[in-house]
Amino acid sequence: MKRIFAIIAAIFLTNCAFADLKYIEIESKQNLPMIRIKTIEDFEAIINAYDISLVFLQYDSDLRPSFNSVSKNSEAFIIAGNTYFVFSMEGYKTLSDYKSGKTANFKTSSDYEQAKSLGIGNAEFFYYYDRNSFQNINDANNAYKNGFVFYTAFRTQSASEQVFSSSNKLVFNENNPRNNESEAYYEAKKLGYVNYTDYKEYKDYTAKGFITKEEYLSAKAKGFYNADEVKTAEEAGFINKEEFTNAQKLGLKTKSDFTDYTEITVSIDKISKDAKIEKKNAIVVYFMNKLPKGEMSLSVLSNTLKDDFSKNSMELRKALNFYANDVKNQGEYDKKQRDRYSRNQTIDIANLFYTENLKKFFKEVNISQIGSYNENTEIFRRK
């Protein structure tokens, strides 16, 4: 590759160590001893030790290098004690630029030069700007400071990586998606949102079907996080998520059924505890307590109890049968579980009201508090 060279004007740098250096591009060098220096700090130390003010540069480029272009490679030479000390600047044009670019974690000298031309000194922000399609730097600045940053240009070295490296610098992340942040910024701007937090909240609640923030906050206060679920619950008469969830676990579709289920089961539990009787017998007592005063035959009693129970919805009857069989409705109440217990349940409440089962009930339970039963005449009298 052809090497083309020209004299570069003196540059006054912000870095104190290199402030008075003059850079001269060279075409060739004599066959003097050469020592290649590994770090910029060591090269800087030699410059200071020998009070050097002149640095020779050799560029490897297809085009004439200038401060508006970036060469493929560059090397800095200083002469001290008839020896060349060489330092590779990896395409940077001055030692000060090399030091600044490396310290700021720019990936390449080309990235550093591009950032300088844009007035950007922060590498993280440069790569943020570069991976997006902002209309101007001002928009990128506004997006960056208001939280529209979804990815990082760098990642911290892992412990294992640090074992094999003396450097604790950040490692470049190659795979950040393009334009996601700028697209979000401009969409938010159209919607009137300045910061990402508010915009994200809007995206979250609209994705869940809510139209306004007020609707979302109202539903959230009741435990709901999905608009469809709120609609289903409200149509069924529920006003909070806990009751709605509990009803769903029981297979109940309406608030009225859930209220009835709660009232019935609490009453049966109390009867069973107070009278010290089995749950199946407490169920019969509960429904007998609802009967009007008066006498009726065993067959009429049986039909009346069956009719009273059948007036409940199919879902409520099924839930009460699960309850009668001590089915635990904890966790996810799935259809397979309901079907399994439907096939294998030992108690069907409707069967408790058949005449033969009522006869067994009267032999097992003292009903003096609610009425009396004559085994000979098969007449039940409700007090």
Side-chain angles (χ1 to χ4, degrees):
M1 183 183 295
K2 185 177 180 181
R3 296 176 181 267
I4 305 173
F5 307 97
I7 296 177
I8 301 177
I11 301 172
F12 295 94
L13 303 173
T14 56
N15 189 303
C16 295
F18 302 132
D20 297 324
L21 292 179
K22 181 177 181 179
Y23 294 87
I24 295 178
E25 186 179 354
I26 63 173
E27 182 175 352
S28 63
K29 55 187 176 292
Q30 294 180 355
N31 189 24
L32 294 177
M34 182 181 297
I35 296 176
R36 186 168 295 278
I37 305 303
K38 186 175 182 180
T39 69
I40 186 70
E41 290 79 15
D42 290 341
F43 199 64
E44 181 181 0
I46 295 171
I47 289 173
N48 291 333
Y50 286 91
D51 195 23
I52 290 171
S53 61
L54 192 64
V55 177
F56 298 99
L57 299 178
Q58 192 170 39
Y59 289 97
D60 180 6
S61 177
D62 291 328
L63 301 173
R64 175 188 175 88
S66 70
F67 284 93
N68 293 319
S69 66
V70 179
S71 60
K72 290 182 178 179
N73 195 8
S74 56
E75 289 188 328
F77 301 85
I78 57 174
I79 302 175
N82 295 323
T83 299
Y84 280 111
F85 292 91
V86 185
F87 180 72
S88 175
M89 295 203 299
E90 302 176 16
Y92 285 93
K93 298 170 183 176
T94 70
L95 293 168
S96 179
D97 280 350
Y98 176 92
K99 198 169 185 179
S100 296
K102 289 294 186 178
T103 300
N105 286 297
F106 281 95
K107 183 184 177 185
T108 65
S109 59
S110 176
D111 291 345
Y112 173 77
E113 292 293 333
Q114 186 180 353
K116 278 182 65 176
S117 70
L118 294 169
I120 300 173
N122 182 299
E124 180 75 41
F125 178 70
F126 168 74
Y127 292 114
Y128 173 76
Y129 178 77
D130 185 61
R131 69 174 175 258
N132 284 290
S133 297
F134 289 104
Q135 295 172 7
N136 51 63
I137 294 288
N138 187 54
D139 282 352
N141 268 312
N142 286 335
Y144 192 77
K145 72 181 182 182
N146 284 300
F148 290 87
V149 183
F150 309 155
Y151 319 100
T152 178
F154 304 101
R155 62 179 175 84
T156 304
Q157 283 184 317
S158 67
S160 61
E161 288 172 322
Q162 291 181 20
V163 169
F164 299 101
S165 173
S166 60
S167 172
N168 288 322
K169 291 184 179 180
L170 298 174
V171 180
F172 193 81
N173 186 356
E174 300 279 359
N175 300 313
N176 290 326
R178 299 192 62 82
N179 297 324
N180 287 13
E181 293 143 319
S182 55
E183 288 174 0
Y185 169 75
Y186 287 117
E187 182 183 4
K189 193 173 181 181
K190 287 180 182 179
L191 294 167
Y193 293 102
V194 174
N195 64 71
Y196 178 68
T197 300
D198 292 338
Y199 170 70
K200 183 178 184 301
E201 184 180 50
Y202 163 80
K203 293 291 286 184
D204 286 345
Y205 71 69
T206 52
K208 294 169 183 174
F210 296 101
I211 298 174
T212 67
K213 183 178 179 179
E214 290 70 27
E215 286 181 359
Y216 168 69
L217 292 177
S218 175
K220 186 178 178 181
K222 299 171 185 176
F224 294 103
Y225 292 90
N226 182 284
D228 290 339
E229 191 177 44
V230 173
K231 182 180 179 182
T232 301
E234 289 181 345
E235 287 177 350
F238 294 94
I239 60 172
N240 69 71
K241 176 67 177 291
E242 185 178 2
E243 285 189 345
F244 179 62
T245 300
N246 289 337
Q248 285 187 312
K249 289 178 181 179
L250 294 165
L252 301 175
K253 296 180 179 180
T254 66
K255 173 65 181 296
S256 61
D257 272 357
F258 179 71
T259 301
D260 289 344
Y261 175 87
T262 303
E263 177 189 322
I264 292 169
T265 55
V266 167
S267 297
I268 292 171
D269 285 342
K270 187 175 186 307
I271 292 169
S272 179
K273 181 179 178 181
D274 292 346
K276 295 182 174 55
I277 58 177
E278 292 183 62
K279 182 183 288 187
K280 65 177 183 178
N281 289 331
I283 291 171
V284 178
V285 172
Y286 170 81
F287 282 97
M288 281 185 173
N289 276 329
K290 298 175 65 179
L291 296 174
K293 294 181 179 180
E295 293 183 351
M296 63 182 71
S297 67
L298 185 62
S299 60
V300 172
L301 173 62
S302 172
N303 291 330
T304 302
L305 292 174
K306 285 188 286 186
D307 287 344
D308 286 347
F309 181 67
S310 66
K311 288 176 183 177
N312 296 300
S313 69
M314 179 182 67
E315 291 80 15
L316 178 53
R317 295 197 306 271
K318 186 177 290 188
L320 289 172
N321 277 328
F322 295 146
Y323 160 78
N325 286 275
D326 291 317
V327 178
K328 304 299 182 183
N329 297 302
Q330 298 174 354
E332 186 64 26
Y333 193 83
D334 57 56
K335 185 176 184 300
K336 288 183 179 179
Q337 184 190 42
R338 292 197 297 269
D339 291 345
R340 183 171 69 250
Y341 281 107
S342 292
R343 292 190 299 270
N344 300 328
Q345 65 186 24
T346 58
I347 299 174
D348 184 335
I349 292 177
N351 291 340
L352 297 177
F353 305 139
Y354 283 100
T355 56
E356 292 304 315
N357 288 325
L358 285 175
K359 289 179 182 179
K360 293 179 183 178
F361 165 80
F362 287 127
K363 289 180 179 179
E364 294 174 0
V365 180
N366 180 357
I367 63 164
S368 58
Q369 290 187 348
I370 59 173
S372 61
Y373 174 72
N374 189 314
E375 186 176 344
N376 295 322
T377 61
E378 295 187 344
I379 296 295
F380 168 74
R381 184 176 68 86
R382 176 74 169 90
K383 285 185 179 180

